[in-house]
Amino acid sequence: MGDFLNFIGQNLQEFYTYTGFANATAGHLVMIVVGLVFIFLAVKYEFEPMLLIPIGFGMLIGNIPFKEVGLQLGIYEQGSVMNILYQGVVQGWYPPLIFLGIGAMTDFSALISNPKLMLIGAAAQVGIFGAYAIALQMGFDPSQAGAIGIIGGADGPTAIFLSSKLAPNLMGAIAVSAYSYMALVPVIQPPIMRLLTTKKERVIRMRPPRVVSQTEKIIFPIAGLLLTTFVVPSGLPLLGMLFFGNLLKESGVTRRLAETARGPLIDTITILLGITVGASTQATQFLTLDSIKIFGLGALSFVIATASGVLFVKLFNLFLSKDNKINPLIGNAGVSAVPDSARISQTVGLEYDPKNHLLMHAMGPNVAGVIGSAVAAGILLGFLG
Amino acid sequence: MKKRISILVLGLFVGVLAYAQQATQMRFNEVLVTNHSNYVDGYGERVAWIELFNTSYNVVNIGGCYLTNDPNQPMMYMIPKGDVLTRIQQRQHVLFYADGKPGRGTFHLNFTLDSASVNTIYLFNADGKSMIDSVVVPVLPADVSWGRLLDGESNWSMMQRVTPSTNNKTLDSNEKIEKFSQEDPDGVGMSLSAVSVVFAVLLLLAVFFIGLANVIKRASNSGKKSQATVKPTAVDPNEVPGEVMAAISMALYEMSNDAHDIENTVLTIARTRRSYSPWSSKIYGLREIPNKK
């Protein structure tokens, strides 16, 4: 009997060494708290719940401490379930599929009706390259700096796609940083927009967008693909899927495919992407000085992107006739956080003129930002890949 | 007739794609003729060897292709089919031993190389007629190979450092990144050029669609009065402006399309519920009647 109890005792003691309590470190606890904060922000303030809930919960999953004895539990253990799901991030399958869904749900009419708004989408990409230059100064090598800079594009899938190619070791921090700041667009952008505009500029009323024909809508994805990818072929995975999704939507004869792309498919990929990106933030891999620097640079790139979009509109207005002026409050929408940054333009615009609805105008640069950030990613990949 | 042409074009396209992934992407990469104190084969012998390199980014199967040192006998040695090792991974190498002992396995050729004279080696495709690559190997000192300076590239040279089954030049750093670090340490050049390209691409798109809008406008004007452009008119103070209507419509659209966590606070439009399954309904399997207006 004594031997039996001794045996049970030893087994329980060994079992304890496998538990999270025995293997927890301060890093694990910090990351679990960060995950809980993400979930709190999503539930309480509805900051991008679709992103922050999966990422936050993924952080919990990824930071449950365990003893590494080859049980294939961790996301970095080859053959584990999480590792298999994570391959979509590592190999870059998920981002193009997300872009397929984005293409199938995006209406480019606002952009087609006023094509000059595309330039605002280009101007906001300055944030990417501003952050790139600063990252170089902080000691990152050019490929790492490029991967960090893309956070300024405010496009999670693009950030994941590029970092998986240029700096796989920084991908977790870059992805979490990109999605966090996308969720914080309502906090980051308005003060910059107010700071850089005058009261007179904020109440500029823009001409209503013209009606766009179905022919133009169908030509847009085809011409868009040909014109952009002939210049930047390295952007093909993202741009190809974006425009393909949009053609499914606009052709009018593939409604079922478009509905799948913008519905069940994008939802499935969003779940897998969010949970695996969250789980990839294992404390041992994530809590480093580099991650802190990346978070700082991410915030900076968002600020630069927003400022450059707004300032570009002000500059652009110098060359436009009185009737065609653009309200600089839509400059922030040049980043590709769709449709959040366009909503910010609308909200801030209404504060100064309750009858001035900027949403439709802001959607133009907003969707141009999606194209612009994918092009910028292609350029970085072409230069540094 | 149209259907047949479509199938033919599709067939040709698939054929071209398949052809592109075949052995045509293989190249001779390095040859060692006189092997005194160099690479030892699986049988413990030092013999002449020929290295092939897959220049493509696809897996290439060289089974069925021919290696020879006599142009009059292009089908001298057929690389056996069905050996998994003849599937060469992207940008990888494969080594053949010119020992005249084909019974030793797939990679042992039935001919040898002559160390006293110039050797010419050919790789023929599976048809035994179309030559994929050839190399003229000069007379070389012992244990010195004849190889491309960079794998798959066009320049050949004598190589004192012999590299069987590995890269002819070992790259210990990313030259592109090194160059960026040296030439553009502040990132200014990169930033300016990249921003210029982004602007150029989006400007190109903008110009295209401004032009397209003009073409469509002209076309519709020539037929009937254009309905595409909404001219701003004097606003009736009692009338709700079009922009307001558009904003409300947009907001309703977004609300009804977004997935929300707290559904009871969201304005939604109730969908028609159907008691039958789409699987059993033919209507879901049919394409809509084309709009011929």
Side-chain angles (χ1 to χ4, degrees):
Chain A
M1 188 65 182
D3 284 350
F4 178 70
L5 288 176
N6 200 20
F7 171 73
I8 295 291
Q10 277 179 355
N11 269 314
L12 285 173
Q13 210 170 2
E14 196 182 338
F15 175 74
Y16 175 74
T17 66
Y18 286 88
T19 63
F21 297 105
N23 293 289
T25 62
H28 287 115
L29 299 178
V30 168
M31 289 310 299
I32 287 172
V33 170
V34 174
L36 292 173
V37 170
F38 272 41
I39 295 170
F40 173 76
L41 289 174
V43 176
K44 177 78 177 170
Y45 299 108
E46 291 194 38
F47 280 170
E48 293 285 346
M50 305 282 183
L51 302 174
L52 292 194
I53 293 268
I55 292 177
F57 202 79
M59 284 179 169
L60 303 186
I61 291 176
N63 287 284
I64 299 296
F66 58 86
K67 193 176 179 180
E68 288 195 28
V69 287
L71 294 175
Q72 294 187 323
L73 300 173
I75 195 165
Y76 294 109
E77 280 188 84
Q78 198 171 4
S80 73
V81 173
M82 289 305 284
N83 181 264
I84 291 166
L85 298 178
Y86 190 47
Q87 292 310 305
V89 177
V90 176
Q91 306 287 338
W93 310 328
Y94 294 156
L97 290 174
I98 293 270
F99 262 63
L100 177 70
I102 292 172
M105 67 170 67
T106 304
D107 185 352
F108 285 97
S109 303
L111 193 61
I112 301 168
S113 70
N114 195 356
K116 65 175 180 282
L117 297 180
M118 285 191 199
L119 296 179
I120 304 172
Q125 307 313 316
V126 170
I128 295 174
F129 301 102
Y132 167 80
I134 297 166
L136 285 179
Q137 299 301 322
M138 290 175 76
F140 289 101
D141 72 34
S143 54
Q144 290 175 328
I148 294 167
I150 201 71
I151 298 171
D155 197 321
T158 306
I160 289 171
F161 179 78
L162 192 67
S163 56
S164 71
K165 308 283 180 197
L166 294 183
N169 56 324
L170 302 180
M171 188 169 56
I174 289 171
V176 172
S177 175
Y179 279 118
S180 307
Y181 291 124
M182 279 168 66
L184 294 173
V185 156
V187 179
I188 298 171
Q189 289 197 323
I192 301 163
M193 292 158 68
R194 290 190 190 104
L195 184 72
L196 297 175
T197 51
T198 63
K199 206 169 180 182
K200 193 180 167 191
E201 287 169 332
R202 286 176 216 143
V203 294
I204 291 176
R205 288 202 173 192
M206 294 172 67
R207 287 178 66 173
R210 68 176 176 83
V211 176
V212 174
S213 69
Q214 186 69 13
T215 311
E216 286 174 281
K217 286 183 182 178
I218 293 172
I219 290 174
F220 182 79
I222 299 167
L225 174 76
L226 296 175
L227 293 176
T228 54
T229 55
F230 262 73
V231 182
V232 191
S234 42
L236 194 55
L238 297 176
L239 291 166
M241 293 304 250
L242 177 77
F243 288 124
F244 172 52
N246 191 242
L247 184 61
L248 291 180
K249 174 180 183 288
E250 301 299 355
S251 68
V253 289
T254 52
R255 194 173 300 158
R256 278 163 51 191
L257 301 185
E259 279 177 3
T260 302
R262 67 172 165 248
L265 180 66
I266 199 169
D267 288 350
T268 307
I269 301 297
T270 303
I271 290 168
L272 294 175
L273 187 70
I275 200 87
T276 50
V277 163
S280 71
T281 61
Q282 272 187 7
T284 47
Q285 308 271 336
F286 190 77
L287 281 182
T288 61
L289 184 61
D290 278 352
S291 298
I292 295 166
K293 286 182 187 173
I294 287 167
F295 267 74
L297 283 166
L300 203 59
S301 64
F302 257 65
V303 171
I304 298 171
T306 306
S308 53
V310 174
L311 291 174
F312 177 79
V313 175
K314 287 167 69 106
L315 180 72
F316 204 18
N317 274 342
L318 297 177
F319 303 98
L320 296 175
S321 64
K322 198 182 171 187
D323 295 336
N324 285 320
K325 297 277 186 206
I326 302 171
N327 190 318
L329 289 180
I330 70 167
N332 72 302
V335 300
S336 69
V338 181
D340 303 61
S341 49
R343 281 182 185 149
I344 303 299
S345 304
Q346 164 83 350
T347 312
V348 178
L350 288 178
E351 283 176 21
Y352 296 93
D353 180 355
K355 286 191 175 175
N356 193 8
H357 296 277
L358 295 173
L359 188 65
M360 275 307 286
H361 302 294
M363 281 305 287
N366 210 184
V367 293
V370 177
I371 301 171
S373 63
V375 170
I379 294 167
L380 286 167
L381 193 59
F383 278 18
L384 305 169
Chain B
M1 185 63 185
K2 274 184 181 175
K3 200 175 175 183
R4 280 183 191 171
I5 291 171
S6 304
I7 292 169
L8 190 67
V9 170
L10 188 68
L12 274 172
F13 182 67
V14 171
V16 167
L17 279 182
Y19 183 77
Q21 292 177 13
Q22 290 306 310
T24 49
Q25 308 290 315
M26 297 301 294
R27 292 289 177 272
F28 287 110
N29 203 49
E30 191 177 353
V31 181
L32 181 77
V33 179
T34 313
N35 187 350
H36 283 174
S37 58
N38 211 278
Y39 193 71
V40 179
D41 71 5
Y43 289 87
E45 293 178 8
R46 290 189 170 87
V47 296
W49 48 259
I50 300 159
E51 182 188 75
L52 293 177
F53 177 65
N54 177 4
T55 58
S56 76
Y57 288 86
N58 291 310
V59 175
V60 167
N61 193 346
I62 56 171
C65 293
Y66 296 92
L67 278 165
T68 179
N69 61 352
D70 182 355
N72 298 319
Q73 291 185 63
M75 297 161 84
M76 184 181 281
Y77 179 75
M78 188 186 85
I79 301 168
K81 294 177 180 176
D83 187 339
V84 71
L85 296 174
T86 60
R87 288 173 57 81
I88 315 303
Q89 298 297 316
Q90 59 167 354
R91 311 290 293 173
Q92 291 300 309
H93 312 78
V94 62
L95 215 58
F96 285 90
Y97 303 100
D99 55 3
K101 295 170 182 169
R104 287 188 166 183
T106 300
F107 300 102
H108 290 262
L109 305 174
N110 59 356
F111 60 87
T112 57
L113 301 179
D114 183 1
S115 58
S117 62
V118 173
N119 289 278
T120 308
I121 315 163
Y122 307 86
L123 174 66
F124 281 90
N125 211 338
D127 60 6
K129 291 173 187 167
S130 46
M131 192 173 70
I132 297 169
D133 195 22
S134 67
V135 57
V136 179
V137 186
V139 179
L140 298 165
D143 298 320
V144 172
S145 68
W146 180 245
R148 295 179 193 265
L149 290 175
L150 276 175
D151 291 340
E153 300 282 317
S154 56
N155 294 329
W156 288 77
S157 172
M158 279 204 283
M159 299 177 69
Q160 299 290 340
R161 198 171 70 87
V162 178
T163 57
S165 289
T166 56
N167 294 345
N168 290 0
K169 185 181 177 190
T170 308
L171 301 173
D172 52 5
S173 64
N174 188 334
E175 280 183 32
K176 214 190 236 183
I177 299 298
E178 294 283 316
K179 218 169 182 178
F180 265 104
S181 298
Q182 284 171 7
E183 303 288 330
D184 187 23
D186 300 324
V188 177
M190 166 73 169
S191 301
L192 286 177
S193 48
V195 168
S196 308
V197 176
V198 175
F199 263 97
V201 169
L202 289 174
L203 187 64
L204 193 65
L205 263 182
V207 169
F208 178 84
F209 280 97
I210 289 170
L212 182 70
N214 288 334
V215 170
I216 289 175
K217 197 175 168 184
R218 263 184 230 147
S220 60
N221 276 344
S222 64
K224 56 182 181 178
K225 203 175 178 182
S226 169
Q227 295 176 348
T229 311
V230 180
K231 286 188 178 177
T233 50
V235 180
D236 178 355
N238 297 323
E239 193 181 320
V240 181
E243 281 176 273
V244 175
M245 299 297 284
I248 293 168
S249 306
M250 182 72 188
L252 283 171
Y253 176 78
E254 288 203 334
M255 280 289 201
S256 60
N257 277 280
D258 271 358
H260 289 273
D261 300 304
I262 309 166
E263 289 295 337
N264 59 1
T265 61
V266 175
L267 178 62
T268 55
I269 296 165
R271 280 192 156 193
T272 309
R273 292 198 176 274
R274 297 177 198 279
S275 55
Y276 55 87
S277 159
W279 293 103
S280 62
S281 173
K282 278 185 183 174
I283 191 76
Y284 284 92
L286 296 174
R287 191 169 159 276
E288 279 186 38
I289 297 165
N291 187 358
K292 291 180 179 173
K293 69 177 177 182

